[in-house]
Structure formats: C-alpha cells, structure tokens
Amino acid sequence: MTTTVAVIGAGPGGLVAARWLAAQGFEPHLFEQAPVLGGQWSGLDGTSGVWPGLYTNTSRVLTAFSDLPHGGDQTFLAAGDIRRYLQRYAEAFGLVDRIRLSTRVSGLSRAARGWTVDTDGGAETFDRVVVASGRFQKPTVPAVPGLDSFVGSEGATSTFHYRGADRYRGKRVLVGGCAVSALEVAAELAQGGAEAVVVTQRRQRYVLPKFAAGVPSDHRIFTRYGALADERLPRSVVDRQLRDIVTEAGGSPEQYGAPRPDPSLFAAGVTLSQHYLPLVAEGRIGIRPWLTSVSGRDVTFGDGSTAAFDGLIFGTGFALDLPFLDDDIRATVGLDAVHLDADRHTFHPDLPGLAFVGMWDQSGGYFVPLELQARWIAYTWGGVIPPPDPDAQRAAVDAYRARRGLPQKTRMNLAALTFARAAGCEPDLGAWPDLQRALLFGPLAPSSFRLEGPDALPGAAEAFARDAAAFGAITSTGFTDRERECWELLQSH
C-alpha cells in the first residue's frame, strides 16, 4: 500500500521534497495557498517578498537542483527566470498534477494513525507530513516610538511588500536595516529616481559584492573548505579568513564612506549587494544610525539628527510563522518567532512521520541545502539509510534549545554539508583526486552531491567539473599558494 505524504507548500522546498519522496515510492500531495506554484518566487504580493525587478544574489550554478541545470550562461537570474525554472522542475518530475493550488492549510494535528490536515475543503488524513511553507512569510517591523504617527505620502511598509521604485520616484525614502533585501531595495531606489535614499542601521555590516573579478561571490565564500574550517579551526582564524575573502573582493565599507564595521566579521555580519557601497561612495545613498522616534514625517536618529521622509521601508527580518500547527505540535517543538526545536532543523523524535523543510535562517542561497535536506528525509523514510537514533536526536534538540537567545543565522555551506552527511552523499575527497581542489575551494554545486552515495549519477563528475570551471580553472589539480596554506592549516588540526 502506498504511503501518502502531505507536503505543505509548493515553493522550492516543497517541490524538491515531493520529487525525492516520489522517487522513494511515496505518494506526495502538495498544498499551496497561492494560485500558482513557486512560493516566494511566485512574486505575488501578500505571499511573496520577491518584487518584479529582483535578480538573484546567488549564481545560476547554486540556484538550481541537481537534476535540472539552468539553460544559457547568464550568471544571475531574474525573478521570473526562477519562477519558470520551478515550473519546469514540477513538470519534469510529474508534480504539477499533485499540487492543489489556492488551498490554504488551516490546521495540522496528530490523528489516531497519521496526521490530519485541515483546509477550506475539509479534513484529510495522511501517513506523513512535510512542512515546507516557508521561513520568510511574516516580516517583522521593530517597535519605534511614534511609528504609527508617520504621515509620509508613501507610508511605512516592509521590503516584503515592496514592488518597485516607480512609486518612490522624486520621493525621500528611509530604508531600515542592513540585510540583503534592505540594501538591494535602497540601491534600486537610488537608481530609480528617488530624490533621496537614506539607510538607517544598528551596526555596519561588511558588504560583499555578488560578483567580483569574474567570479560570483557565492563560489568564493560558501565552500567546503569553509565548512571544514568552521569545524576544525579556532573561531578567530575562521573569522579572519572570511573577512579577508570579503574585503579582498569588495573592500571595507569605510573605504566607500560608510561607517567602519567591527573588526570581527562575525560580530559585524556580512551582506551581499553589488551596487550598494558604490552608491554610498557617490553620495546617492546616505547612512544614519538606527532611528529612535518618528513624529509626522520627521524621523529622529541615534545621533540626535532629524530628517523628513515620504516613505519608510523596513528590511528587518522575519518571524517564524506556522499558524496551522496545533498546540500539541507547537509545544513539542517549542515554536516561537525565532526557534523551532528539531534535529538539524528537520526531525523531532516525539513527532515521528513529521518533517520540516527550509525552516532555518542562513546567508547564501537555499536551493542546494534544500535538495540535500529533502533527500535526507526521503532516504530516512524510504529505508535507504538507517533511521536517526532517538537518543542522538534528543541530544541534538537539547543542544539547539541551549543556544536559544544566541544568533541563529548559519551559512549555506554549513547547512549543505550537514544535510549531505545525514543523507550519505558527501563526496570523499580521496576518491576524486582530479576534483579535490574543486571540491575544497570551488562552489558547492548540486552536482557535487551526486558523485557518490544514494542516487549517484554516472555523469556527475563531468557535470561538477563544468560547474566548478564556469568561472575559473578551479578543476586544475594544483593549489594556489593561499589554498595550499589553508589546506595544510586544516590538516594540522
């Protein structure tokens, strides 16, 4: 008898989970509240924070799943390209007819046998459930005294609801935050005819251009070496190495006229944006300390200065929002606006048959780790790999719970290696001598996780060689002096 799986969400996480579950003989049923698939990439206001003019900050190599590369040689893709890619992916793996569009899940609870999923159409029972409804659905706007009194003509909103620069042409706009959406929106506004654009921030982050010296920055910073270094080297060494990568690619913010960030990249944080710092250097984007109060159109900042604005746009993060979970599940995973207790963001030992996809916060693109997490779930439930040890799961949950209150953002390479190891598809460096340099210092391309383990592909080595060489001769066997120094340092620990 076929095992049924409800997959809540038909964005990248839900689609890739359904693809791998179907490959293991499960019968996935996808529920999508929007009238189209794609999740964030649908571009629909209210359910998506992707605006029409957005381009990816991640390269085409790392914004793809292992079974379906992008066509063409465009490095960074438009939002519409990603939406069409996900449609092609759903068609390629027979997922389209499995998706119930315009179907909002209002409840999820345990049943006598399996799980009950409530929708507007009624209640249904499934053997298992994957929650893939998205981590970035509920934008948070910080409490600022007087914010409700703002009377600027364009109002106060979040980057989640931003849909382009046209309405702000000739206007004075304040953008709150220093994460990627805030900087990208600020840059688009400055180039799109706004009279003035000011960014207000709590601290200055390092800013990595998404493309430097002919290489996408996600190929530089999200490497397997970086993940291994994080595990083996002192934190101060990893901090310095990452800061060097960032500043060598794009300089340090103070060189552009922005405030000087903390010497520690971990303390300051890092954001990807191609145009933001050059626009600061040109005086087209101003920077102020964090705002302390609002009165009418006037905003007062931490340095005591005041300025009038027509619009406020906040790019200040998201709250974890899973309103359909019943009280039992919420209590078991300790759900709040930031945390969800689960072994490696996926399983909880007291909720067998339930898995979460894409519920962690990270820097870098999600496509590669999402696929690896989906494979782990499918292989675990399909019996391809041994089930997780419940005691080990509880230890992992306890360790996560102990970190509550600390920064939770991870890096794409750390998440990808975590899931690859769990799924049994991390490639062995010693087995691929001709690809060793690429596997260490090249991109964590999805093809590299089809070299060995379950669902290894005969042509994966050639595909990975092409992916790694797309922006440089990374597949050559000889390390550069710096790479060899890093590799020897890693081996000594």
Side-chain angles (χ1 to χ4, degrees):
M1 184 175 177
T2 304
T3 301
T4 59
V5 184
V7 179
I8 303 174
L15 293 173
V16 74
R19 175 262 184 269
W20 285 101
L21 287 166
Q24 287 298 317
F26 294 96
E27 184 182 324
H29 299 256
L30 293 94
F31 295 85
E32 172 54 53
Q33 65 176 336
V36 295
L37 64 79
Q40 287 287 348
W41 296 103
S42 70
L44 299 177
D45 194 9
T47 60
S48 165
V50 170
W51 61 93
L54 182 143
Y55 278 75
T56 63
N57 271 300
T58 55
S59 65
R60 70 172 187 275
V61 171
L62 298 183
T63 316
F65 299 129
S66 63
D67 292 304
L68 188 67
H70 292 284
D73 57 2
Q74 185 174 326
T75 305
F76 297 99
L77 303 172
D81 295 330
I82 304 300
R83 184 174 63 251
R84 288 184 286 273
Y85 172 85
L86 293 172
Q87 180 69 39
R88 287 194 294 120
Y89 187 81
E91 293 169 354
F93 292 101
L95 303 178
V96 174
D97 291 339
R98 297 180 180 273
I99 304 172
R100 305 185 201 181
L101 298 172
S102 301
T103 304
R104 186 179 67 86
V105 172
S106 57
L108 175 64
S109 58
R110 303 192 214 213
R113 300 181 67 176
W115 301 85
T116 298
V117 175
D118 295 301
T119 69
D120 295 339
E124 295 178 69
T125 300
F126 294 87
D127 298 309
R128 301 173 192 256
V129 175
V130 172
V131 176
S133 52
R135 175 67 177 78
F136 307 103
Q137 294 289 328
K138 186 178 181 180
T140 59
V141 175
V144 178
L147 181 59
D148 290 344
S149 74
F150 182 68
V151 296
S153 61
E154 305 310 312
T157 187
S158 74
T159 55
F160 185 78
H161 297 293
Y162 172 80
R163 285 298 177 270
D166 287 349
R167 65 176 288 184
Y168 297 98
R169 192 179 300 276
K171 305 291 185 178
R172 297 179 55 81
V173 189
L174 179 68
V175 180
C178 198
V180 60
S181 62
L183 301 196
E184 291 292 88
V185 166
E188 186 169 294
L189 291 169
Q191 296 171 312
E195 178 187 332
V197 179
V198 175
V199 167
T200 176
Q201 58 188 27
R202 292 186 175 90
R203 68 182 188 280
Q204 177 64 56
R205 297 189 185 193
Y206 290 88
V207 181
L208 180 66
K210 66 182 185 181
F211 205 77
V215 180
S217 290
D218 58 358
H219 289 221
R220 297 176 185 272
I221 199 166
F222 301 121
T223 64
R224 187 177 183 190
Y225 167 81
L228 296 175
D230 194 79
E231 294 170 351
R232 302 184 194 177
L233 301 183
R235 183 175 173 84
S236 60
V237 173
V238 178
D239 191 351
R240 176 181 55 78
Q241 289 182 341
L242 286 173
R243 187 190 62 212
D244 288 348
I245 291 172
V246 171
T247 56
E248 287 177 10
S252 192
E254 72 274 10
Q255 295 174 282
Y256 295 82
R260 183 185 296 274
D262 192 288
S264 165
L265 181 137
F266 288 152
V270 63
T271 301
L272 275 121
S273 181
Q274 188 70 19
H275 304 296
Y276 174 73
L277 284 180
L279 289 168
V280 171
E282 293 173 358
R284 297 166 69 185
I285 294 177
I287 300 177
R288 294 290 184 274
W290 189 244
L291 71 170
T292 56
S293 65
V294 177
S295 178
R297 291 181 60 231
D298 294 333
V299 175
T300 300
F301 301 100
D303 60 1
S305 64
T306 299
F309 294 94
D310 301 300
L312 310 180
I313 305 175
F314 289 91
T316 44
F318 294 81
L320 184 57
D321 186 38
L322 301 171
F324 50 83
L325 298 185
D326 77 348
D327 291 342
D328 169 47
I329 300 173
R330 299 174 73 87
T332 301
V333 299
L335 184 70
D336 64 18
V338 178
H339 307 96
L340 185 155
D341 296 340
D343 175 16
R344 287 161 284 183
H345 312 288
T346 308
F347 298 117
H348 193 287
D350 294 332
L351 298 169
L354 176 64
F356 296 91
V357 166
M359 293 300 162
W360 71 95
D361 190 11
Q362 71 169 37
S363 56
Y366 276 82
F367 275 64
V368 174
L370 281 176
E371 180 172 29
L372 293 166
Q373 187 184 33
R375 290 173 67 183
W376 178 28
I377 294 167
Y379 295 160
T380 299
W381 286 353
V384 175
I385 58 177
D389 175 68
D391 290 338
Q393 284 188 311
R394 293 186 193 285
V397 169
D398 289 343
Y400 176 83
R401 188 178 294 120
R403 296 194 301 272
R404 285 186 174 231
L406 300 175
Q408 297 296 324
K409 187 182 285 290
T410 187
R411 301 195 298 279
M412 172 269 192
N413 49 341
L414 306 187
L417 264 293
T418 294
F419 297 136
R421 289 168 182 171
C425 57
E426 179 187 15
D428 179 2
L429 286 171
W432 307 94
D434 291 341
L435 295 175
Q436 186 182 67
R437 182 182 177 222
L439 287 168
L440 277 169
F441 297 103
L444 276 180
S447 54
S448 71
F449 300 105
R450 303 297 294 273
L451 291 170
E452 54 190 83
D455 290 295
L457 290 175
E462 291 77 13
F464 177 59
R466 289 193 300 272
D467 290 339
F471 300 96
I474 194 70
T475 51
S476 63
T477 55
F479 291 141
T480 66
D481 290 343
R482 167 177 256 182
E483 290 167 351
R484 182 163 299 283
E485 178 184 342
C486 289
W487 180 229
E488 289 174 354
L489 179 63
L490 196 65
Q491 290 177 306
S492 68
H493 283 73

